[in-house]
Short mmCIF file of all heavy atoms in Angstrom, two decimals:
data_model
loop_
_atom_site.label_atom_id
_atom_site.label_comp_id
_atom_site.label_asym_id
_atom_site.label_seq_id
_atom_site.Cartn_x
_atom_site.Cartn_y
_atom_site.Cartn_z
N ASN A 6 0.78 -1.15 0.03
CA ASN A 6 0.00 -0.05 -0.02
C ASN A 6 0.90 1.34 0.03
O ASN A 6 0.59 2.16 0.82
CB ASN A 6 -0.90 -0.01 1.22
CG ASN A 6 -2.17 -0.85 1.00
OD1 ASN A 6 -2.42 -1.38 -0.13
ND2 ASN A 6 -2.81 -1.26 2.03
N ASN A 7 1.76 1.35 -0.88
CA ASN A 7 2.68 2.48 -1.04
C ASN A 7 3.70 2.82 0.06
O ASN A 7 4.23 3.80 0.22
CB ASN A 7 1.89 3.67 -1.46
CG ASN A 7 1.07 3.51 -2.65
OD1 ASN A 7 1.61 2.93 -3.66
ND2 ASN A 7 -0.18 3.94 -2.67
N LYS A 8 3.73 1.80 1.08
CA LYS A 8 4.74 1.94 2.13
C LYS A 8 5.62 0.85 2.22
O LYS A 8 5.26 -0.38 1.87
CB LYS A 8 3.91 1.97 3.52
CG LYS A 8 2.91 3.19 3.67
CD LYS A 8 2.18 3.19 5.03
CE LYS A 8 1.29 4.30 5.18
NZ LYS A 8 0.56 4.41 6.39
N GLN A 9 6.90 1.25 2.55
CA GLN A 9 7.91 0.26 2.59
C GLN A 9 7.90 -0.50 4.04
O GLN A 9 8.29 0.06 5.00
CB GLN A 9 9.40 0.78 2.40
CG GLN A 9 10.38 -0.16 2.00
CD GLN A 9 10.20 -0.85 0.59
OE1 GLN A 9 9.78 -0.15 -0.31
NE2 GLN A 9 10.65 -2.00 0.38
N ILE A 10 7.23 -1.67 4.15
CA ILE A 10 7.09 -2.34 5.42
C ILE A 10 8.30 -3.06 5.82
O ILE A 10 8.77 -3.03 7.08
CB ILE A 10 5.95 -3.32 5.21
CG1 ILE A 10 4.68 -2.76 4.77
CG2 ILE A 10 5.76 -4.03 6.56
CD1 ILE A 10 4.18 -1.61 5.63
N ILE A 11 9.13 -3.67 4.93
CA ILE A 11 10.32 -4.27 5.13
C ILE A 11 11.38 -3.66 4.26
O ILE A 11 11.02 -3.48 2.94
CB ILE A 11 10.27 -5.89 4.79
CG1 ILE A 11 9.14 -6.57 5.53
CG2 ILE A 11 11.54 -6.54 5.24
CD1 ILE A 11 8.96 -7.90 5.04
N PRO A 12 12.64 -3.35 4.65
CA PRO A 12 13.57 -2.88 3.75
C PRO A 12 13.82 -3.67 2.55
O PRO A 12 13.88 -4.91 2.70
CB PRO A 12 14.81 -2.73 4.63
CG PRO A 12 14.24 -2.75 6.00
CD PRO A 12 13.10 -3.52 6.17
N ALA A 13 13.78 -3.05 1.39
CA ALA A 13 14.05 -3.97 0.16
C ALA A 13 15.31 -4.61 0.18
O ALA A 13 15.48 -5.71 -0.38
CB ALA A 13 13.90 -3.02 -1.07
N ALA A 14 16.40 -3.97 0.79
CA ALA A 14 17.56 -4.66 0.81
C ALA A 14 17.71 -5.86 1.76
O ALA A 14 18.35 -6.93 1.49
CB ALA A 14 18.63 -3.59 1.42
N TRP A 15 16.75 -5.89 2.79
CA TRP A 15 16.71 -7.06 3.66
C TRP A 15 15.96 -8.18 2.81
O TRP A 15 16.34 -9.37 2.91
CB TRP A 15 15.89 -6.78 4.92
CG TRP A 15 15.87 -7.99 5.79
CD1 TRP A 15 14.79 -8.96 5.84
CD2 TRP A 15 16.83 -8.61 6.66
NE1 TRP A 15 15.11 -9.94 6.64
CE2 TRP A 15 16.38 -9.69 7.19
CE3 TRP A 15 18.15 -8.00 6.95
CZ2 TRP A 15 17.11 -10.48 8.04
CZ3 TRP A 15 18.86 -8.84 7.93
CH2 TRP A 15 18.39 -9.92 8.39
N VAL A 16 14.94 -7.88 2.05
CA VAL A 16 14.23 -8.91 1.28
C VAL A 16 15.27 -9.57 0.39
O VAL A 16 15.19 -10.76 0.21
CB VAL A 16 13.09 -8.20 0.45
CG1 VAL A 16 12.40 -9.17 -0.47
CG2 VAL A 16 12.07 -7.72 1.43
N GLU A 17 16.01 -8.70 -0.30
CA GLU A 17 17.06 -9.34 -1.26
C GLU A 17 17.96 -10.21 -0.46
O GLU A 17 18.30 -11.34 -0.91
CB GLU A 17 17.74 -8.17 -1.89
CG GLU A 17 18.98 -8.59 -2.71
CD GLU A 17 18.60 -9.40 -4.02
OE1 GLU A 17 17.42 -9.25 -4.47
OE2 GLU A 17 19.33 -10.07 -4.46
N GLU A 18 18.54 -9.67 0.73
CA GLU A 18 19.51 -10.64 1.43
C GLU A 18 18.93 -11.82 1.96
O GLU A 18 19.46 -12.85 1.94
CB GLU A 18 20.16 -9.76 2.56
CG GLU A 18 21.09 -8.65 2.19
CD GLU A 18 22.31 -9.22 1.65
OE1 GLU A 18 22.96 -9.94 2.42
OE2 GLU A 18 22.67 -8.96 0.53
N ALA A 19 17.66 -11.73 2.52
CA ALA A 19 17.08 -12.84 3.10
C ALA A 19 16.67 -14.00 2.15
O ALA A 19 16.77 -15.14 2.54
CB ALA A 19 15.86 -12.38 3.85
N THR A 20 16.39 -13.70 0.95
CA THR A 20 15.81 -14.67 0.05
C THR A 20 16.79 -15.09 -1.02
O THR A 20 16.47 -16.00 -1.85
CB THR A 20 14.57 -14.06 -0.68
OG1 THR A 20 14.87 -12.86 -1.45
CG2 THR A 20 13.45 -13.73 0.38
N LYS A 21 17.93 -14.48 -1.11
CA LYS A 21 18.96 -14.97 -2.08
C LYS A 21 19.84 -16.10 -1.56
O LYS A 21 19.76 -16.47 -0.35
CB LYS A 21 19.83 -13.80 -2.47
CG LYS A 21 20.98 -13.44 -1.46
CD LYS A 21 21.88 -12.27 -1.89
CE LYS A 21 22.94 -12.06 -0.95
NZ LYS A 21 23.82 -10.96 -1.44
N TYR A 22 20.53 -16.77 -2.38
CA TYR A 22 21.40 -17.94 -2.09
C TYR A 22 22.53 -17.27 -1.22
O TYR A 22 23.40 -16.60 -1.60
CB TYR A 22 21.96 -18.44 -3.35
CG TYR A 22 22.76 -19.67 -3.21
CD1 TYR A 22 22.29 -20.89 -3.61
CD2 TYR A 22 24.13 -19.74 -2.70
CE1 TYR A 22 23.01 -22.11 -3.54
CE2 TYR A 22 24.77 -20.87 -2.58
CZ TYR A 22 24.34 -22.05 -2.97
OH TYR A 22 25.09 -23.21 -2.81
N GLN A 23 22.50 -17.80 0.07
CA GLN A 23 23.51 -17.35 1.00
C GLN A 23 24.51 -18.42 1.20
O GLN A 23 25.76 -18.21 1.28
CB GLN A 23 22.89 -16.97 2.31
CG GLN A 23 22.11 -15.72 2.30
CD GLN A 23 23.02 -14.45 2.40
OE1 GLN A 23 24.15 -14.42 2.52
NE2 GLN A 23 22.39 -13.26 2.30
N VAL A 24 24.05 -19.78 1.31
CA VAL A 24 24.90 -20.84 1.67
C VAL A 24 24.37 -22.14 0.94
O VAL A 24 23.24 -22.25 0.68
CB VAL A 24 24.94 -21.12 3.17
CG1 VAL A 24 25.66 -19.97 3.89
CG2 VAL A 24 23.63 -21.43 3.81
N PRO A 25 25.29 -22.94 0.49
CA PRO A 25 24.86 -24.23 0.02
C PRO A 25 24.26 -25.12 1.17
O PRO A 25 24.71 -25.16 2.34
CB PRO A 25 26.12 -24.93 -0.49
CG PRO A 25 27.22 -24.30 0.33
CD PRO A 25 26.78 -22.87 0.58
N ASN A 26 23.28 -26.03 0.79
CA ASN A 26 22.70 -26.84 1.82
C ASN A 26 22.68 -28.25 1.47
O ASN A 26 21.86 -29.10 2.00
CB ASN A 26 21.32 -26.24 2.16
CG ASN A 26 20.39 -26.36 0.99
OD1 ASN A 26 20.79 -26.57 -0.12
ND2 ASN A 26 19.06 -26.12 1.17
N ALA A 27 23.42 -28.66 0.55
CA ALA A 27 23.52 -30.13 0.14
C ALA A 27 24.74 -30.31 -0.74
O ALA A 27 25.21 -29.41 -1.37
CB ALA A 27 22.29 -30.56 -0.55
N ALA A 28 25.16 -31.58 -0.76
CA ALA A 28 26.26 -32.00 -1.71
C ALA A 28 25.86 -31.66 -3.12
O ALA A 28 24.68 -31.98 -3.53
CB ALA A 28 26.66 -33.48 -1.42
N SER A 29 26.77 -31.35 -4.01
CA SER A 29 26.36 -30.94 -5.37
C SER A 29 26.06 -32.22 -6.22
O SER A 29 25.56 -32.13 -7.26
CB SER A 29 27.64 -30.40 -6.07
OG SER A 29 28.74 -31.19 -5.98
N THR A 30 26.37 -33.43 -5.56
CA THR A 30 26.16 -34.72 -6.35
C THR A 30 24.69 -35.29 -6.12
O THR A 30 24.36 -36.14 -6.78
CB THR A 30 27.23 -35.76 -5.93
OG1 THR A 30 27.09 -35.86 -4.52
CG2 THR A 30 28.56 -35.36 -6.35
N THR A 31 24.01 -34.64 -5.20
CA THR A 31 22.59 -35.20 -4.80
C THR A 31 21.72 -34.88 -5.99
O THR A 31 21.87 -33.75 -6.79
CB THR A 31 22.15 -34.57 -3.61
OG1 THR A 31 22.08 -33.18 -3.71
CG2 THR A 31 22.92 -35.07 -2.43
N PRO A 32 20.63 -35.67 -6.30
CA PRO A 32 19.72 -35.40 -7.26
C PRO A 32 19.03 -33.88 -7.06
O PRO A 32 18.84 -33.54 -5.95
CB PRO A 32 18.67 -36.48 -7.22
CG PRO A 32 19.40 -37.64 -6.55
CD PRO A 32 20.41 -36.94 -5.60
N VAL A 33 18.59 -33.28 -8.10
CA VAL A 33 17.92 -32.00 -7.96
C VAL A 33 16.51 -32.14 -7.31
O VAL A 33 15.75 -32.96 -7.73
CB VAL A 33 17.81 -31.34 -9.28
CG1 VAL A 33 16.99 -30.03 -9.16
CG2 VAL A 33 19.12 -31.04 -9.94
N HIS A 34 16.46 -31.45 -6.30
CA HIS A 34 15.08 -31.27 -5.57
C HIS A 34 15.05 -29.84 -4.81
O HIS A 34 16.07 -29.18 -4.89
CB HIS A 34 14.75 -32.54 -4.65
CG HIS A 34 15.89 -32.74 -3.61
ND1 HIS A 34 15.98 -31.96 -2.44
CD2 HIS A 34 16.83 -33.65 -3.52
CE1 HIS A 34 16.98 -32.33 -1.72
NE2 HIS A 34 17.44 -33.42 -2.26
N ASP A 35 13.91 -29.69 -4.15
CA ASP A 35 13.79 -28.39 -3.50
C ASP A 35 14.48 -28.14 -2.18
O ASP A 35 14.32 -27.11 -1.57
CB ASP A 35 12.30 -28.01 -3.54
CG ASP A 35 11.79 -27.73 -4.84
OD1 ASP A 35 12.05 -26.70 -5.34
OD2 ASP A 35 11.07 -28.63 -5.46
N TRP A 36 15.26 -29.09 -1.72
CA TRP A 36 15.96 -29.00 -0.50
C TRP A 36 17.43 -28.93 -0.62
O TRP A 36 18.29 -29.24 0.23
CB TRP A 36 15.52 -30.13 0.55
CG TRP A 36 14.26 -29.71 1.28
CD1 TRP A 36 14.15 -28.99 2.44
CD2 TRP A 36 13.04 -29.92 0.75
NE1 TRP A 36 12.88 -28.72 2.71
CE2 TRP A 36 12.08 -29.31 1.75
CE3 TRP A 36 12.45 -30.53 -0.41
CZ2 TRP A 36 10.65 -29.36 1.58
CZ3 TRP A 36 10.97 -30.52 -0.46
CH2 TRP A 36 10.16 -29.96 0.50
N ASN A 37 17.93 -28.81 -1.90
CA ASN A 37 19.36 -28.63 -2.15
C ASN A 37 19.66 -27.51 -3.15
O ASN A 37 20.62 -27.46 -3.94
CB ASN A 37 19.93 -29.88 -2.71
CG ASN A 37 19.41 -30.33 -4.06
OD1 ASN A 37 18.65 -29.58 -4.61
ND2 ASN A 37 19.82 -31.49 -4.59
#
């Protein structure tokens, strides 16, 4: 509603790839 509720920079930091969470050899799924 035209107001910045959460800082856009935080949204970017929080939702981007920060760390790997599985071995690269595992089959592709939504937890790696």
Side-chain angles (χ1 to χ4, degrees):
N6 284 344
N7 301 318
K8 294 182 179 179
Q9 198 72 33
I10 305 300
I11 309 169
W15 181 265
V16 172
E17 174 66 22
E18 286 291 301
T20 62
K21 76 179 185 181
Y22 185 110
Q23 291 281 353
V24 295
N26 60 349
S29 59
T30 56
T31 58
V33 174
H34 56 75
D35 286 285
W36 278 267
N37 63 4

